[in-house]
Amino acid sequence: MLHINREKLKSSHQLIWFIIDFLMLGLLIINLAFIIWDSIYNFEAVQDLMREYTPGLQSLYHPLHTHFIFYDMIFVSIFLGEFFLRWGYAVKAKIYDRWYFYPFIHWYDLVGCIPVGSLRFLRVLRIISIIYRLHQYQIIDVTSTKLYRFVNFYYEAFMEELSDRIVLKVLSGVQQEVRRGSPLFDRIQQDILYPRRAMLSDWISDRIAEAAQEGYVPNRGALRSYLEDRVDNALKQNLELSRLKYLPVVGPTIQETLEEAVGDIVANVIHQILEDLASASNHAFIEDIVNVFLPSPEQMKADETENEALINLIIEIIDAVKQQVRVKYWRENLP
């Protein structure tokens, strides 16, 4: 059942437009029902059946059928009047950038008013647009209707089937490219990444320096205390070092001195590493790492066995993805 938000309707400043929407919705439904019935009545067999079984109804409706265009034009005049009314409001409220945009955006309203059989059914689009507008303003809630749930379920099922087939086709194409030894990966490395090694090195270097400055420098004291505590605990658990305390007289002093020295050395080493990363001096180190991952074409000597293993690994990964794509989740939610 269609849910209507009465509180939203009462509080809306555009109450008059919503009333017009409901009136137009009713008229459109009546008009389309009239068009469909008249199309059915147009068959001689239907007229003969009505003459035989419901002569009163047939004699009552036949004059309407004879003057169908006239009655349909009454509806058309109402629809056109509402169309021009909304157009004038859109121009006054400056809803669109240009005054003539409205009829192009709402073309189906105009085309549906043409009294030609096939074009009349474009008025269905007008019904859909009104329902969508009322739903968008939270005046009605179409998601609570059985019809919406039914249509939405099969729409989602159709889209899942369609998207799965597209994904499977794309993945199969990727597998074929990998099997043929597609030069795409080499082109990415040699033509795109390798010429930009300097830029990548600069960018990674700046990001690491920024991360080190923001993460380490403000917490330098806390990190040093933490490292000293960890080193101290590790040294106390070391059996060889713990035996020093049994030396007469100088044993405990030597043990304590070694613990302090080792803790201080470790903290200073970590401090120096992070200081270097936080400064511009990290650029050479980062550049060496980038050069390892992006060697020059002259330095690339690929092993055929390793390449074959890598190709098989990629194909197996794509096969696993394809198996997952084949799972039909919509079947688990069948009504």
Side-chain angles (χ1 to χ4, degrees):
M1 185 176 180
L2 193 65
H3 175 69
I4 299 177
N5 190 339
R6 298 180 184 276
E7 293 183 1
K8 192 76 175 180
L9 189 62
K10 290 179 181 178
S11 62
S12 176
H13 296 293
Q14 294 184 329
L15 178 61
I16 186 66
W17 291 112
F18 294 137
I19 293 174
I20 293 175
D21 278 334
F22 279 112
L23 290 175
M24 297 304 299
L25 188 61
L27 287 173
L28 283 164
I29 293 173
I30 293 172
N31 181 237
L32 284 173
F34 179 43
I35 292 171
I36 293 171
W37 168 246
D38 192 77
S39 299
I40 296 172
Y41 182 82
N42 202 41
F43 292 101
E44 290 293 336
V46 175
Q47 296 182 28
D48 293 339
L49 286 172
M50 290 186 67
R51 287 193 195 96
E52 183 176 353
Y53 295 101
T54 56
L57 182 60
Q58 192 274 338
S59 61
L60 182 66
Y61 180 75
H62 192 74
L64 296 178
H65 173 70
T66 305
H67 302 91
F68 170 78
I69 296 295
F70 171 75
Y71 293 109
D72 186 58
M73 289 303 297
I74 295 176
F75 285 101
V76 169
S77 62
I78 296 173
F79 298 153
L80 285 176
E82 188 259 352
F83 176 84
F84 286 110
L85 180 65
R86 287 189 179 275
W87 188 2
Y89 174 78
V91 173
K92 182 179 180 182
K94 297 181 179 179
I95 297 176
Y96 302 106
D97 294 336
R98 297 290 185 272
W99 65 271
Y100 51 83
F101 280 7
Y102 186 86
F104 288 101
I105 295 173
H106 299 269
W107 60 269
Y108 48 86
D109 288 350
L110 281 178
V111 177
C113 291
I114 299 175
V116 177
S118 57
L119 296 179
R120 289 193 184 102
F121 287 98
L122 286 175
R123 297 171 196 178
V124 174
L125 297 178
R126 196 170 193 174
I127 292 178
I128 294 173
S129 68
I130 292 175
I131 293 175
Y132 175 76
R133 184 164 58 244
L134 293 174
H135 176 77
Q136 201 174 27
Y137 282 100
Q138 300 180 358
I139 303 304
I140 61 175
D141 183 14
V142 297
T143 59
S144 61
T145 61
K146 292 183 178 179
L147 177 62
Y148 174 84
R149 290 196 293 268
F150 175 81
V151 173
N152 185 67
F153 172 79
Y154 286 102
Y155 170 77
E156 293 293 338
F158 170 75
M159 293 304 297
E160 183 178 346
E161 289 286 344
L162 181 63
S163 61
D164 286 353
R165 292 180 182 276
I166 294 173
V167 171
L168 289 173
K169 183 69 175 176
V170 171
L171 291 177
S172 298
V174 172
Q175 283 182 312
Q176 293 176 4
E177 289 291 326
V178 172
R179 287 193 182 99
R180 286 199 300 262
S182 173
L184 175 62
F185 302 110
D186 293 336
R187 285 170 54 195
I188 291 174
Q189 183 174 358
Q190 297 178 18
D191 299 341
I192 299 176
L193 296 179
Y194 176 71
R196 295 172 175 81
R197 284 198 305 181
M199 182 192 70
L200 290 172
S201 299
D202 293 340
W203 184 83
I204 296 174
S205 175
D206 292 340
R207 298 290 79 75
I208 291 177
E210 184 179 349
Q213 289 173 357
E214 294 181 359
Y216 168 67
V217 175
N219 303 298
R220 183 184 304 169
L223 179 61
R224 185 182 182 88
S225 299
Y226 172 78
L227 290 173
E228 289 177 349
D229 290 340
R230 294 297 92 200
V231 171
D232 186 54
N233 290 333
L235 292 176
K236 287 179 180 179
Q237 295 175 7
N238 186 273
L239 294 177
E240 288 76 9
L241 189 62
S242 64
R243 291 175 184 153
L244 291 175
K245 66 182 179 182
Y246 296 113
L247 293 173
V249 183
V250 295
T253 303
I254 294 175
Q255 183 186 22
E256 183 179 353
T257 303
L258 281 174
E259 289 177 355
E260 292 179 356
V262 172
D264 190 58
I265 290 170
V266 171
N268 285 332
V269 169
I270 299 296
H271 168 74
Q272 189 60 50
I273 291 173
L274 292 174
E275 284 285 347
D276 291 341
L277 288 177
S279 67
S281 61
N282 72 358
H283 182 77
F285 172 68
I286 300 300
E287 187 175 6
D288 290 340
I289 294 177
V290 172
N291 291 339
V292 170
F293 284 100
L294 293 175
S296 63
E298 295 78 13
Q299 297 172 330
M300 293 177 61
K301 297 179 180 179
D303 189 334
E304 294 297 332
T305 305
E306 292 180 358
N307 280 348
E308 186 67 26
L310 180 61
I311 289 173
N312 292 333
L313 175 63
I314 294 173
I315 290 174
E316 288 180 12
I317 292 173
I318 295 175
D319 280 332
V321 175
K322 288 169 68 175
Q323 289 294 331
Q324 186 62 32
V325 170
R326 288 191 179 99
V327 176
K328 308 301 181 185
Y329 291 104
W330 64 268
R331 292 178 182 173
E332 301 175 2
N333 302 315
L334 278 172

